[in-house]
Amino acid sequence: MAGGPQPGAPGAPSPRLPRLGLVLGLLAALAAVKYYRDAEAARRQEMALKSLGNEGLFLFSSLDTNNDLYISPEEFKPVAEKLTGVTPVLEFEEEETLDPSGETLSIVAKFQPLLMETMTKSKDGFLGIAHIALSGLRNWTAPAAPMSIMFAKQFKAFLPPKNKIELGDPWWIIPSELNIFTGYLSNNRFYPPVPKGKEIVIHKLLSMFHPRPFVKTRFAPQGAVACIQAISEFYYRIAFRIHAEFQLNEPPDFPFWFSPGQFTGHIVLSRDSSHVREFKLFVPNKRSLNVDMEWLYGASESSNMEVDIGYLPQMELESSGPSIPSVIHDENGNVMDSRDPAGEPIQFVFEEINWQRELSGEEAAQKLEVAMYPFKKVSYLPFTQAFDRAKAENKLVHSILLWGALDDQSC
């Protein structure tokens, strides 16, 4: 049978060659597209710098959240709200529809502003620091919302996942998104992203202090971690630790970041989250310094940053009592008046919770601390105790002197 060389025979063209050529051509096309896009982005960046200057481009970039060099209506919204004074209600992404007849509780905010004299820069009278740079800090003298009514079901985010029902076994309410490859988040931001999922309740709680909380810090370790501190037949006592920060300034001022060392606390709630018995969240104030502050003092994110640390006497949220039904029904299912015949509010009697198993507050806090800072698996002792331990174990003492603390966000 006549014919040319068969595929695979000596002298026959390999069918792989056209495919290889096609792949190489495709790669060349992708490289060309990438080169064009990079060049176009660089050109637009240069044009923006010429048009706006360093200061203007810095402000523009703080609003251009997706870095496409265009300000969308959504990105422009904070400016519109500032100019018009009208702040629309954010449409938060709720995990489920809340029952309007569900139990509610009152959360009360207590706040004492940072003691300016504890900042190191106060020693020279804040020499060289523009008064406007600290205006957001100086003007923050009271909580944004002294009290808030919340549904018990909103605290469902604090319940443990099904595989974390042992005492002291930590889980992440808000997992960290930072690692050695991602680095840290931008300093050049004014407005927090819209919270989603379990971030919503924490954002709502922190908004009682200040209208611009960031539930994810710029630096690791970020997020919120929790563990079960006590278990009863119907209730959990959950200990938690949250790393969050606040942006105190708005345009045209430069960003001012206020980062408490940590938010810690506990919640006692039913296993179906229909009832909250107790809730407390606070910034620990036992250390002499418990807040880190960083503010940009120029148009460059990587330079001209001022850093200081100070002491915040009080920043806490606490429930005024257990959650109670929004609507009261009698034994026949009929809606009852919430007041007795004398006009006084009906008083509810709550059963005592008998804990079957529990950890101390210190034990629970240590579990959360190790989850945030794995280096805490090694015991770090106070100076006076370290030598007794070293002598008992015949080991050397490694002494570390710090300005702040390694195991919270104030350092």
Side-chain angles (χ1 to χ4, degrees), residues 60-240:
F60 182 93
S61 299
S62 70
L63 298 172
D64 182 24
T65 56
N66 59 1
N67 298 315
D68 64 352
L69 286 176
Y70 289 99
I71 300 296
S72 68
E74 186 65 26
E75 292 169 332
F76 185 74
K77 187 191 297 184
V79 178
E81 293 171 3
K82 182 71 174 177
L83 294 176
T84 62
V86 177
T87 304
V89 177
L90 291 176
E91 297 179 357
F92 292 157
E93 177 188 307
E94 293 285 358
E95 289 184 296
E96 61 179 88
T97 302
L98 295 173
D99 182 2
S101 63
E103 293 193 9
T104 61
L105 67 158
S106 299
I107 304 294
V108 177
K110 298 177 182 178
F111 179 81
Q112 295 181 43
L114 183 116
L115 301 180
M116 300 296 290
E117 63 271 20
T118 62
M119 295 175 65
T120 57
K121 290 178 174 55
S122 71
K123 304 299 185 291
D124 56 7
F126 297 100
L127 184 65
I129 299 177
H131 188 274
I132 195 171
L134 303 179
S135 60
L137 177 64
R138 295 182 190 275
N139 294 335
W140 189 19
T141 59
M147 190 182 75
S148 179
I149 305 297
M150 298 182 65
F151 284 98
K153 277 287 187 181
Q154 289 179 280
F155 292 86
K156 181 180 180 181
F158 289 92
L159 283 176
K162 294 180 180 178
N163 63 336
K164 296 287 183 178
I165 56 174
E166 294 300 320
L167 288 179
D169 190 5
W171 72 88
W172 292 92
I173 301 174
I174 300 177
S176 175
E177 295 180 348
L178 299 180
N179 54 50
I180 59 173
F181 302 106
T182 59
Y184 58 88
L185 301 180
S186 172
N187 295 309
N188 183 21
R189 293 177 295 160
F190 289 100
Y191 303 101
V194 175
K196 299 180 180 179
K198 294 181 179 180
E199 300 172 9
I200 295 171
V201 65
I202 293 176
H203 182 275
K204 183 175 178 63
L205 289 165
L206 297 182
S207 294
M208 293 181 66
F209 295 122
H210 192 278
R212 290 184 297 280
F214 284 71
V215 298
K216 291 182 178 176
T217 52
R218 292 161 297 146
F219 302 98
Q222 64 172 196
V225 67
C227 73
I228 298 177
Q229 184 183 344
I231 298 175
S232 80
E233 185 178 0
F234 300 109
Y235 291 90
Y236 290 124
R237 180 185 175 98
I238 306 293
F240 57 82

Side-chain angles (χ1 to χ4, degrees), residues 1-15:
M1 182 174 179
Q6 298 298 308
S14 172

Side-chain angles (χ1 to χ4, degrees), residues 3 5 17 33 43 46 62 64 91 94 104 123 129 147 181 219-220 261 290 293 297 320 323 351 355 377-378 396 407:
L17 291 178
V33 169
R43 184 185 67 82
E46 185 178 353
S62 70
D64 182 24
E91 297 179 357
E94 293 285 358
T104 61
K123 304 299 185 291
I129 299 177
M147 190 182 75
F181 302 106
F219 302 98
N290 60 357
M293 289 158 284
Y297 208 49
S320 60
S323 63
E351 78 278 13
W355 299 112
K377 292 177 182 177
V378 176
L396 298 176
D407 55 1

